[in-house]
Amino acid sequence: MPEKKTTKATARKPRAPKHIGLVAKDPYLEPFEAAITGRHDHALWKISQLTHNGKNTLAEFASGHDYYGLHKTARGWVFREWAPTATDIYLVGDFNDWKETEKYRAKRVPGTGNWELKLSAKAVKHGDLYKMHVHWNGGEGERIPAWARRVVQDDDTKIFSAQVWNPEKPYVWKKKKFKANVNPLLIYECHIGMGQDAEKVGSYTEFKDNVLPRVIKDGYNCIQIMAIQEHPYYGSFGYHVSSFFAASSRFGTPEELKELIDTAHQNGIAVIMDIVHSHAVKNEVEGLGNLAGDPNQYFYPGERHEHPAWDSLCFDYGNDGVMHFLMSNCKFWLEEYHFDGFRFDGVTSMLYYSHGLGEAFTNYGDYFNGHQDDNAICYLTLANKLIHEVNPNAITIAEEVSGMPGLAAKFEDGGFGFDYRMAMNIPDYWIKTIKEVSDENWKPSSIFWEVTNRRSDEKTISYCESHDQALVGDKTIIFRLIDADMYWHFKKGDENETVHRGIALHKMIRLVTASTINGGYLNFMGNEFGHPEWIDFPREGNGWSYKYARRQWNLVDNKELCYHWLGDFDERMLSVIKTVKNFQKTPVVEIWHNDGDQVLAYMRGDLVFVFNFSPNRSFTDYGFLVPTGSYDVVLNTDAKEFGGNGLADDSVTHFTNYDPLYVADHKEWLKLYIPARSAVVLKKN
């Protein structure tokens, strides 16, 4: 056979291997592509299994809340519970004097681990308290049903019980469909109970009436609510969950929470919740710790059963029953309460066998060394798929500190499918800088690197501080900057140098963080105006006091104090950011930095941001090359209305100065007076 000749028509360059999207966008991940595709294939296999090879959807799979729990039907009531190791289950409560009776005895559904009890319409009524009395081989005990939607605590005995919830007038949603305009996403992180001045637990209604209007006025477009899922100990900040389907009753009724969310939606505000699927409280009567004689029904056995740092239990994400429970939980909050998404707490703890404790995570190999929980990775991936299947506009955020690649990358690219990840490096950087670096040594190059250091294919939520930095034992930025002088020199006219420094840097730190986002920005309730107290929930060590478990709104409302300067600045800062369409997608273009002068400048769209971090050097006619034209000041941290010195005349329009060397680049010199420890934002006309 004659040899085939190669011609121009037949010659082809060898094709480069086709990589999964995550690797194609980041070649440094190529050595770990097998692990990335393995995780992706695991998720695809699990989806196929749970959906019966695509005959159903993940949303149909995640409907356990419609089956389990106590439900009113056309014929009466039906109660169901998943308890494979139970030998008998009774409902006990107000309706039968808390005694086991045959009428309220459930039956095992043949061939399953489910139990079912059908009752007449009059067998229970709205408001009745109840529990399960569960029997198993070798023991028995009272338990709150795992799927209970309403759980209350007795004021006197402090005992928790499930409660029948079937009001005559169910809540009617005024805003039935909602899609938030969150470009960029501006999050106001908040806690219902501590959202008021009074030394008590605040309510959903009080938050709706008193705090939500502040959020709207300030310009945030999303509230992230903590501690919604029922938790036995108030001081856990909502992170030791006992009843995953019950909105915490200490803040009010389900209808009141729905009204809060509905009101937010009517005002264009998205509402997401902190969802805790990383662990659960160890309590057995209130929680899932030992529902029916099997401590491992929901949780990993052996050494992985308990979290070594959190005194809690770790879910077994490889168990289909647990997957069903947690995924149904996601769908429940989206459908029943119209939440717009979730911030998943403790993702680092879920990803690693070590829970991330004692790990440095210095190179890519640390994310693919076999020490990762593939079951948890699969769960998080499927949860994201499900959430966006139920609501394509939903928002999901990962609270993750290790830097696992792909968390906020698309599922199709081999990612986990989160919309955003928390930029947890930024608050750590600010804390370290304020604590350890003298003002004269703050380097603009380091600051700019830290606030822009992120993966190009993953959106992040930038923040200076969250609730974590406000907890007792830690310090907020304002307290690190000013400390006790907050108490003695925060009245207008009585500020000392420490207060002046603190006010100036508080604004600058927020501006450089918020103005460099590639996804969203977060602020914790009260920190925008420099709330002076840490958070310390009532506990034995403080005499069960609510003094530090509240927000002192009276301080920012008092125009004689300095707090309102910071609050007013925060409001103006957000309004400036929102003048640029899709601000978060606009490239951050560095114009200049000089660590010796401590000056930094960059552009986003038609906005120019200029910072002078020097504590004692002001500059006259400091020049930057910018697009030719005229520029007006739209924000100045040094303005008197924000507690500054007002040294510059912000009414002046700044015109660029011709330079023949840069004509081809269409750039000229913009020369500014930039006082020490100040920042200015200019808009190109």
Side-chain angles (χ1 to χ4, degrees), residues 52 76 85 99 111 132 138 167 190 202 207 209 220 267 276-277 330 381 403-404 423 495 504 530 576 593 610:
H52 301 288
T85 54
K99 296 176 182 177
M132 299 187 299
C190 52
F207 190 95
D209 293 342
Y220 292 89
N267 287 278
V276 184
H277 285 177
C330 295
T381 305
M404 168 69 78
E495 311 96 313
V576 168
H593 80 258
V610 180

Side-chain angles (χ1 to χ4, degrees), residues 25 84 119 129 139 164 169 187 213 226 296 346 513 518 551 580 623 636 654:
K25 295 174 181 177
L119 297 166
L129 302 181
V164 178
K169 295 182 178 180
I187 301 173
M226 307 173 64
N296 303 321
T513 303
N518 78 328
R551 298 282 91 176
V580 178
N636 192 337
H654 298 269

Side-chain angles (χ1 to χ4, degrees), residues 178-187 219-223 265 268-272 340 393-397 419-420 459-461 517-521 578 580-585:
F178 174 73
K179 180 182 178 182
N181 178 17
V182 289
N183 293 311
L185 180 59
L186 302 171
I187 301 173
Y220 292 89
N221 53 30
C222 178
I223 55 174
H265 286 171
I269 307 293
V271 186
I272 61 177
D340 299 295
N393 300 311
I395 300 162
T396 59
I397 304 169
D419 296 301
Y420 305 87
K459 293 185 291 185
T460 58
I461 302 296
I517 58 173
N518 78 328
Y521 173 73
K578 289 191 288 188
V580 178
K581 186 178 181 181
N582 286 320
F583 181 84
Q584 77 287 355
K585 293 181 179 179

Side-chain angles (χ1 to χ4, degrees), residues 52-116:
H52 301 288
N53 296 319
K55 293 178 182 177
N56 301 317
T57 64
L58 284 177
E60 288 172 312
F61 166 75
S63 296
H65 52 287
D66 293 329
Y67 179 80
Y68 295 108
L70 182 64
H71 297 277
K72 184 72 180 293
T73 70
R75 296 184 178 182
W77 295 87
V78 62
F79 170 79
R80 299 186 187 95
E81 187 73 22
W82 176 53
T85 54
T87 58
D88 233 335
I89 294 181
Y90 295 84
L91 281 194
V92 296
D94 293 338
F95 38 77
N96 61 4
D97 294 326
W98 296 88
K99 296 176 182 177
E100 292 184 0
T101 57
E102 196 64 25
K103 177 181 177 181
Y104 294 92
R105 185 182 187 183
K107 296 179 180 179
R108 182 186 285 274
V109 179
T112 73
N114 299 331
W115 294 77
E116 183 178 80

Side-chain angles (χ1 to χ4, degrees), residues 243-305:
S243 294
F244 286 77
F245 290 85
S248 182
S249 61
R250 57 171 56 86
F251 308 134
T253 67
E255 286 68 38
E256 289 166 342
L257 173 55
K258 290 175 182 178
E259 187 176 16
L260 163 58
I261 296 170
D262 201 6
T263 304
H265 286 171
Q266 291 173 67
N267 287 278
I269 307 293
V271 186
I272 61 177
M273 66 177 278
D274 260 9
I275 198 165
V276 184
H277 285 177
S278 47
H279 62 137
V281 73
K282 292 168 72 172
N283 300 33
E284 295 186 357
V285 176
E286 297 92 356
L288 305 174
N290 184 11
L291 192 74
D294 179 9
N296 303 321
Q297 179 181 339
Y298 284 94
F299 308 104
Y300 277 125
E303 292 182 356
R304 300 183 64 194
H305 187 68

